[in-house]
Amino acid sequence: MAQVLIIEDDARIRPLLMRSLGERGYAVSSAPTGMQGLSMAVETRPDLVILDLGLPDVDGTQVLSMLRSVSDVPVIVASARDDDPTLVSCLDAGADDYVVKPYTTAQLEARIRAVMRRVGSGARAPRTSLVVGGLEIDVAARRTTLDGTPVDLSPREFDLLRHLAEREGEVVTKKELLTDVWNQAWGGSDKTVDVHLSWLRRKLGESASQPRYLHTVRGVGVRLAAPEDTPRAVTGTDTGTGTDTGDV
């Protein structure tokens, strides 16, 4: 069970978040001030911190800086401040994500899941390379080869392929991809995912109707698997005609 610490002074938001996240299976604690939250973060060592900026005793950006000097706990800033300088400064100071109020609990939980997946449990070292069949992804160098031949990918295509490879064999939904790859937990166009998957398929020498690595699960999502591990045919109504931007 993930331990979440909420540093939030709003007496309406704080109990609502605690109840909502608790109902979703998180162990939740909270603090109404920055210094109390900082002390709790050091003493209880939570898995993730949700940090408001408008705190009564000290600005949340200072809390973030102080927290980063003593801990690498993942931090999601949740604030009504939506100006770019504040957002950029928080991310530069070590925040793992930034969500603008008002937001729904579902949106926040999606951010939590995404951050937790990125940082892992802390017990595993980050993988420097991923191999799926003849597909090799050098994470550190951001290079991809297919059967020994380099594949020229855009930064977003690389991030998309890497994310799918990290979850090899799992069906990943468009919503998850928008959250984890595009950082758009609050929304975004499914067509964005469709188009990038289409481009990625072409660069891997396949199509939705004749998949090798990227397998569509109609109405659910997409799954990356080595050719020998999955059937080449796709169940559904893919015809292979026109532009390959159908539902994932």
Side-chain angles (χ1 to χ4, degrees):
M1 180 183 296
Q3 309 285 324
V4 177
L5 170 62
I6 301 169
I7 306 177
E8 167 67 66
D9 69 313
D10 192 309
R12 297 168 302 169
I13 295 176
R14 191 172 64 253
L16 175 63
L17 281 180
M18 291 187 68
R19 183 175 66 253
S20 298
L21 292 178
E23 290 173 351
R24 286 168 166 78
Y26 297 93
V28 188
S29 58
S30 71
T33 68
M35 295 311 296
Q36 183 179 343
L38 182 63
S39 176
M40 289 179 64
V42 173
E43 292 175 4
T44 65
R45 300 174 62 86
D47 295 305
L48 183 137
V49 172
I50 298 170
L51 175 65
D52 180 33
L53 297 183
L55 299 170
D57 56 339
V58 59
D59 192 81
T61 56
Q62 294 177 272
V63 176
L64 176 60
S65 297
M66 289 187 285
L67 183 57
R68 273 291 164 263
S69 68
V70 296
S71 173
D72 60 356
V73 60
V75 176
I76 297 177
V77 172
S79 173
R81 303 179 194 174
D82 60 357
D83 58 290
D84 279 350
T86 299
L87 189 153
V88 171
S89 65
C90 285
L91 294 176
D92 285 343
D96 295 88
D97 205 347
Y98 193 111
V99 59
V100 178
K101 297 178 181 178
Y103 54 83
T104 66
T105 305
Q107 290 170 351
L108 180 62
E109 190 194 7
R111 299 296 187 94
I112 293 173
R113 291 197 306 268
V115 169
M116 296 296 287
R117 279 197 293 268
R118 288 199 296 268
V119 302
S121 65
R124 295 178 296 175
R127 297 171 68 181
T128 58
S129 64
L130 300 164
V131 178
V132 181
L135 188 63
E136 297 187 25
I137 303 166
D138 187 328
V139 175
R142 294 183 66 84
R143 293 186 187 128
T144 303
T145 60
L146 179 60
D147 299 327
T149 302
V151 181
D152 185 19
L153 300 178
S154 70
R156 188 70 75 186
E157 290 165 354
F158 180 88
D159 291 339
L160 175 58
L161 182 62
R162 171 186 173 179
H163 183 78
L164 292 171
E166 287 173 339
R167 300 182 60 184
E168 178 188 357
E170 298 180 30
V171 179
V172 184
T173 67
K174 289 181 185 178
K175 183 177 180 181
E176 290 177 271
L177 292 172
L178 285 169
T179 298
D180 298 346
V181 179
W182 276 266
N183 294 316
Q184 294 182 11
W186 59 92
S189 172
D190 287 356
K191 285 299 181 185
T192 298
V193 178
D194 292 337
V195 170
H196 280 80
L197 282 171
S198 175
W199 292 340
L200 190 54
R201 280 187 170 111
R202 283 200 292 267
K203 291 183 178 182
L204 295 180
E206 60 183 78
S207 66
S209 59
Q210 293 184 312
R212 295 190 66 238
Y213 288 90
L214 295 169
H215 298 264
T216 295
V217 179
R218 181 64 62 183
V220 182
V222 64
R223 174 168 53 96
L224 179 72
E228 63 269 22
D229 295 336
T230 54
R232 295 176 60 86
V234 175
T235 301
T237 57
D238 283 9
T239 62
T241 60
T243 303
D244 176 21
T245 57
D247 290 343
V248 172

